[in-house]
């Protein structure tokens, strides 16, 4: 069972990623090749199956030559079928205690949307619906907001 909202699960904008040299590299789940475009996505079920097979069966060979995957992500391309925004709150969570800084907690409470811990553990990701997305990306200090031409890791570690 997953806690990720069904509104995200039903949209085929999922991808796989590999961490290499400290960077997250997106992979098309259909070809298992590096790709960072809006059409290099698949269903949630497909990416979860690829990830599970790569982790559970060390001898599993992907349908095409490729690396073992580190996780899954969701691509944001705002439109009527996927009116979502991604908010990334950097360095706001204590790795030892799990405590979230007050400024980040205030944003989480205000948005009241699906929120999870980032892969590094010190950040927070918020996925929410929006009717008025910012044009392009928006970054100020430790806060980033994106609705288009961006993908985000998804951990399922609900806050």
């Amino acid at each position: 069972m997953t806690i990720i909202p069904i509104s995200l699960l039903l949209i085929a904008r999922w991808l796989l990623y590999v961490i290499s040299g400290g960077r997250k590299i997106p992979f098309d789940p259909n070809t298992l090749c590096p790709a960072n475009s809006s059409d290099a996505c698949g269903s949630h079920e497909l990416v979860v199956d690829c990830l599970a097979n790569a982790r559970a069966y060390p001898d599993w060979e992907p349908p095409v030559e490729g690396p073992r995957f580190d996780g899954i992500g969701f691509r944001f391309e705002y439109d009527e079928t996927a009116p979502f925004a991604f908010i990334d709150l950097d360095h706001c969570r204590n790795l030892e205690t799990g405590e979230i800084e007050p400024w980040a907690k205030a944003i989480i409470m205000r948005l009241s949307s699906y929120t999870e811990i980032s892969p590094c553990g010190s950040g927070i990701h918020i996925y929410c619906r929006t009717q008025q997305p910012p044009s392009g990306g928006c970054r100020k200090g430790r806060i980033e907001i994106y609705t288009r031409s961006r993908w985000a890791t998804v951990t399922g570690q609900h806050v």
Side-chain angles (χ1 to χ4, degrees), residues 82-143:
F84 300 106
F86 166 67
I87 296 96
D88 187 5
L89 308 178
D90 292 332
H91 311 294
C92 63
R93 182 176 176 273
N94 184 302
L95 287 170
E96 293 176 14
T97 66
E99 175 105 16
I100 298 172
E101 293 184 20
W103 67 269
K105 208 178 278 188
I107 293 170
I108 293 167
M109 298 304 289
R110 173 89 188 245
L111 293 175
S112 186
S113 192
Y114 175 68
T115 303
E116 64 177 33
I117 300 166
S118 67
C120 69
S122 67
I124 297 292
H125 291 171
I126 305 169
Y127 307 83
C128 60
R129 287 183 180 272
T130 181
Q131 293 178 351
Q132 298 179 324
S135 57
C138 179
R139 181 183 188 127
K140 185 171 184 177
R142 297 190 286 176
I143 303 170

Side-chain angles (χ1 to χ4, degrees), residues 1-5 8-9 14 17 44 48 51 55 71-73 114-119 125 127 152-159:
M1 184 176 106
T2 182
I3 190 119
I4 299 168
L8 290 175
L9 295 176
W14 293 89
Y17 71 87
H44 181 263
V48 168
L51 187 63
R55 288 183 175 165
I72 65 173
Y114 175 68
T115 303
E116 64 177 33
I117 300 166
S118 67
H125 291 171
Y127 307 83
T153 60
V154 178
T155 65
Q157 296 179 29
H158 187 249
V159 173

